[in-house]
Amino acid sequence: MAALAQLRKLDRYLVPVLVLAGWEAFSRSGALPAALLPAPSTVLWAWADWLIGTDGNTQTYSAHWLADMLASLSRVAAGFAIATVLGVGLGVAIGWSRKIEIVIEPTLQMLRPIPPVSWIPLAIIWFGIANKPAIFLVFLGAFFPILLNTIHGVKTCDRNLIRAGAMVGGSERKLLRYIVVPAALPSIFAGLRIGIGSAWMLTVTAEMVAVKSGLGYVLWDSYYFLRYDLVLAAMASIGLLGFMSDLAIRFVMARVLHWQRNTTLGGGE
């Protein structure tokens, strides 16, 4: 039984291993020039130098990965934190109050379809070339998923629970605190998970045009110098950090929503 459990744990690594093996074989087959599609082993070699400076093959980026990672991570954290506070706060207000919904939601629904990248020119004019436009774009990417999921969570709260709370003398503030917001938490966390992914996508876009540091900037700069191994290493770094950010949210979610454990399909994860 223990061996079977170990095999089941290895299942999740099967597809990545097969993809990497196929990629390595195709790159070494000569079907495409190696410079255009570097093999995973070549990407790992460049990544290692970027990370710890093995042989200096990434030149100015050698041993700079940690600084680049921290630059991107700080922008994601700042933009995502602002989006979380505003998205959850405004989402609860819109979901709870019909009056606020009528006043604010049409404007938000008009802004929502506008791609965040289209704000780049205005963000640069407003904030200049620095961290602020990047944080602004990250905020835009994360805000609407968090907002919409929070509204959905509040609006789908069971009316019977709210009536029961009101019958025992619960004020509006207590109803929100002890019934509505806890009931909306699964939707809020769903919005946070979507929002953190959007935040990482937008920080790369912002770093390509608005700042001169971070993983996105390295990716774009490496493209100009035809260092596709470093481009792929930057893409892999972003994917890894996005995955770890999602894991962190899932870790918090599992503890906050402990009451869902063993009662839902996802609760047994």
Side-chain angles (χ1 to χ4, degrees), residues 2-111:
L4 185 60
Q6 289 296 325
L7 284 175
R8 285 177 178 171
K9 287 183 179 178
L10 292 177
D11 284 350
R12 63 182 64 189
Y13 303 110
L14 181 61
V15 172
V17 168
L18 289 176
V19 169
L20 289 173
W23 176 9
E24 183 81 28
F26 182 76
S27 296
R28 293 186 178 280
S29 70
L32 283 176
L36 295 182
L37 184 62
S41 55
T42 306
V43 174
L44 281 175
W45 189 252
W47 200 355
D49 184 65
W50 185 19
L51 183 65
I52 56 175
T54 52
D55 62 357
N57 74 78
T58 57
Q59 301 176 357
T60 57
Y61 294 119
S62 183
H64 269 249
W65 186 87
L66 185 60
D68 293 323
M69 184 275 289
L70 289 175
S72 294
L73 186 62
S74 63
R75 292 172 191 130
V76 169
F80 183 70
I82 298 170
T84 298
V85 171
L86 292 181
V88 172
L90 197 55
V92 170
I94 292 174
W96 178 252
S97 170
R98 180 65 179 158
K99 187 179 294 183
I100 295 176
E101 181 182 10
I102 292 172
V103 172
I104 296 179
E105 195 177 33
T107 304
L108 292 173
Q109 292 299 344
M110 287 175 62
L111 293 173

Side-chain angles (χ1 to χ4, degrees), residues 34-38 43 222-233:
L36 295 182
L37 184 62
V43 174
S222 302
Y223 159 72
Y224 279 119
F225 291 100
L226 306 180
R227 286 296 306 267
Y228 298 124
D229 52 351
L230 200 51
V231 169
L232 289 167

Side-chain angles (χ1 to χ4, degrees), residues 59-235:
Q59 301 176 357
T60 57
Y61 294 119
S62 183
H64 269 249
W65 186 87
L66 185 60
D68 293 323
M69 184 275 289
L70 289 175
S72 294
L73 186 62
S74 63
R75 292 172 191 130
V76 169
F80 183 70
I82 298 170
T84 298
V85 171
L86 292 181
V88 172
L90 197 55
V92 170
I94 292 174
W96 178 252
S97 170
R98 180 65 179 158
K99 187 179 294 183
I100 295 176
E101 181 182 10
I102 292 172
V103 172
I104 296 179
E105 195 177 33
T107 304
L108 292 173
Q109 292 299 344
M110 287 175 62
L111 293 173
R112 188 170 66 87
I114 301 174
V117 292
S118 66
W119 289 87
I120 289 177
L122 290 176
I124 293 175
I125 291 171
W126 291 340
F127 302 112
I129 304 294
N131 280 331
K132 290 180 181 176
I135 293 172
F136 176 68
L137 292 172
V138 170
F139 158 75
L140 285 177
F143 174 68
F144 287 106
I146 296 172
L147 174 73
L148 293 179
N149 277 276
T150 302
I151 294 172
H152 171 77
V154 172
K155 283 189 172 293
T156 53
C157 180
D158 192 338
R159 282 184 181 275
N160 291 327
L161 292 177
I162 299 173
R163 286 173 183 153
M167 286 177 64
V168 296
S171 63
E172 188 169 325
R173 185 175 177 179
K174 287 185 176 178
L175 292 177
L176 278 171
R177 180 176 177 182
Y178 294 110
I179 296 177
V180 176
V181 172
L185 280 176
S187 292
I188 292 173
F189 274 106
L192 293 177
R193 292 186 64 188
I194 298 171
I196 193 65
S198 300
W200 276 107
M201 285 190 278
L202 264 297
T203 194
V204 171
T205 305
E207 288 171 351
M208 286 179 177
V209 296
V211 292
K212 301 294 182 185
S213 63
L215 299 173
Y217 176 74
V218 174
L219 189 155
W220 197 238
D221 195 46
S222 302
Y223 159 72
Y224 279 119
F225 291 100
L226 306 180
R227 286 296 306 267
Y228 298 124
D229 52 351
L230 200 51
V231 169
L232 289 167
M235 292 169 63

